[in-house]
């Protein structure tokens, strides 16, 4: 029997408030993270992801008190990312109530961080967050997808498909694959990117970026995603978690 597809709302947090923009720019307020987390739990979310979207770019620690307050409202797995730079940061987040921790920029700067976290806490704790887009300009990657950092503002020239394979070898337990081209556009997930990653890794893939309507979710699973993640469509009430699960069920997928 296939595993149930997970539906995961994402809270992008900046200065203690949930925000949402397009391509991580022009952020607008979407509410209180603790209140939203509690609402998504009531709606039947399978997990919750909490990303401190400016932690890396403004070089500050994730807001630990909000993580603690959010974790107190939930009885589902909570993944926290943003500004995680060391195994000690992971330890502190787990003590605050996180179940999994997302790493992105710090792992690119120091791939050994993936290994250290996996060795100390287990691969199941480690989610590699990948902000990937179709390459632009002079740099040419083999796959045509490159990794970006700083919320898509900085190009790395690293081949996204090579990077997810390397991360799996180092011990990452899951890939949060965010399409920067699709992020916030509500034009649907980047199915080509999902398929390209699925061909190369065996660990779970969470598809992120581009959800605009319930019909967008089943194709992402068909392309190879094990879980689907969205933010603004839930925050602004365009659909509920239940609506997405109904659409997945109607398409023949198992949901919780």
């Amino acid at each position: 029997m296939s595993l149930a597809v997970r539906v995961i709302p994402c809270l992008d947090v900046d200065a203690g408030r949930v925000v949402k923009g397009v391509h991580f720019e022009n952020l607008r307020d979407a509410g209180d993270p603790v209140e939203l987390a509690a609402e998504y739990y009531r709606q039947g979310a399978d997990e919750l992801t909490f990303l401190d979207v400016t932690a890396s770019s403004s070089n500050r620690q994730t807001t630990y008190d909000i993580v603690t307050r959010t974790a107190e409202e939930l009885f589902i797995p909570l993944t926290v990312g943003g500004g995680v730079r060391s195994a000690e940061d992971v330890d502190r987040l787990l003590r605050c109530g996180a179940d999994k921790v997302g790493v992105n920029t710090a792992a690119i700067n120091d791939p050994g961080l993936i290994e250290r976290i996996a060795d100390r806490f287990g691969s199941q704790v480690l989610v590699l967050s990948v902000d990937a887009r179709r390459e632009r300009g002079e740099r040419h990657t083999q796959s045509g997808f490159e990794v970006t950092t700083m919320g898509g503002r900085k190009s790395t020239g690293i081949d996204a498909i090579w990077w997810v394979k390397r991360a799996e070898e180092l011990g990452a337990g899951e890939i949060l694959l965010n399409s920067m081209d699709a992020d916030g556009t509500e034009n649907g997930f980047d199915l080509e990117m999902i398929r390209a990653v699925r061909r190369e890794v065996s660990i779970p893939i969470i598809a992120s970026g581009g959800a605009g309507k319930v019909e967008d979710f089943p194709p992402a699973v068909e392309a190879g995603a094990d879980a689907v993640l969205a933010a603004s469509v839930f925050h602004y009430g365009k659909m509920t978690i239940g609506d997405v699960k109904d659409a997945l069920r109607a398409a023949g997928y198992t949901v919780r």
Side-chain angles (χ1 to χ4, degrees):
M1 175 175 161
S2 61
L3 290 170
V5 177
R6 291 168 289 148
V7 179
I8 307 174
C10 180
L11 305 182
D12 295 321
V13 177
D14 179 24
R17 299 289 291 178
V18 176
V19 295
K20 194 61 197 165
V22 178
H23 310 311
F24 286 121
E25 293 176 351
N26 303 319
L27 301 177
R28 52 192 176 127
D29 191 280
D32 176 74
V34 182
E35 288 174 13
L36 279 170
E39 172 59 25
Y40 295 141
Y41 176 63
R42 282 193 294 272
Q43 285 185 22
D46 298 303
E47 296 186 14
L48 189 81
T49 294
F50 178 114
L51 296 178
D52 194 334
V53 292
T54 51
S56 292
S57 56
S58 58
N59 201 42
R60 62 174 170 74
Q61 298 290 315
T62 303
T63 316
Y64 290 105
D65 65 311
I66 298 176
V67 174
T68 302
R69 284 166 42 224
T70 303
E72 286 168 356
E73 296 290 330
L74 300 177
F75 300 93
I76 52 175
L78 172 64
T79 300
V80 181
V84 175
R85 299 179 182 86
S86 67
E88 285 64 43
D89 290 342
V90 174
D91 185 58
R92 189 168 173 191
L93 285 166
L94 295 176
R95 289 173 191 275
C96 285
D99 300 280
K100 298 188 259 189
V101 175
V103 294
N104 185 341
T105 308
I108 293 165
N109 296 335
D110 173 18
L113 177 64
I114 297 172
E115 210 163 18
R116 294 194 297 277
I117 293 171
D119 286 349
R120 182 165 163 186
F121 305 103
S123 289
Q124 78 285 350
V125 161
L126 181 56
V127 179
L128 182 79
S129 185
V130 180
D131 291 335
R133 69 179 180 202
R134 282 168 174 74
E135 63 190 9
R136 300 172 186 167
E138 300 299 309
R139 288 172 164 162
H140 291 293
T141 58
Q142 192 174 352
S143 70
F145 295 106
E146 70 168 337
V147 177
T148 67
T149 60
M150 303 296 175
R153 292 187 290 276
K154 186 178 176 188
S155 171
T156 65
I158 297 169
D159 187 308
I161 307 305
W162 173 86
W163 177 230
V164 294
K165 284 168 64 178
R166 180 80 183 112
E168 181 177 34
E169 290 164 5
L170 289 168
E174 199 162 24
I175 303 291
L176 171 53
L177 183 65
N178 187 35
S179 167
M180 296 311 297
D181 296 316
D183 180 74
T185 64
E186 301 189 8
N187 292 326
F189 292 94
D190 190 327
L191 305 180
E192 186 187 354
M193 184 188 288
I194 296 167
R195 287 190 195 100
V197 172
R198 178 78 287 161
R199 283 194 292 269
E200 300 296 339
V201 301
S202 59
I203 55 178
I205 298 169
I206 304 165
S208 169
K213 53 190 186 299
V214 291
E215 292 84 4
D216 291 331
F217 291 89
V221 179
E222 193 271 328
D226 302 273
V228 285
L229 178 145
S232 50
V233 290
F234 294 139
H235 304 337
Y236 299 121
K238 284 190 79 171
M239 65 188 75
T240 64
I241 308 293
D243 294 337
V244 174
K245 290 192 174 186
D246 287 346
L248 289 166
R249 220 177 263 118
Y253 295 109
T254 303
V255 294
R256 289 193 179 95

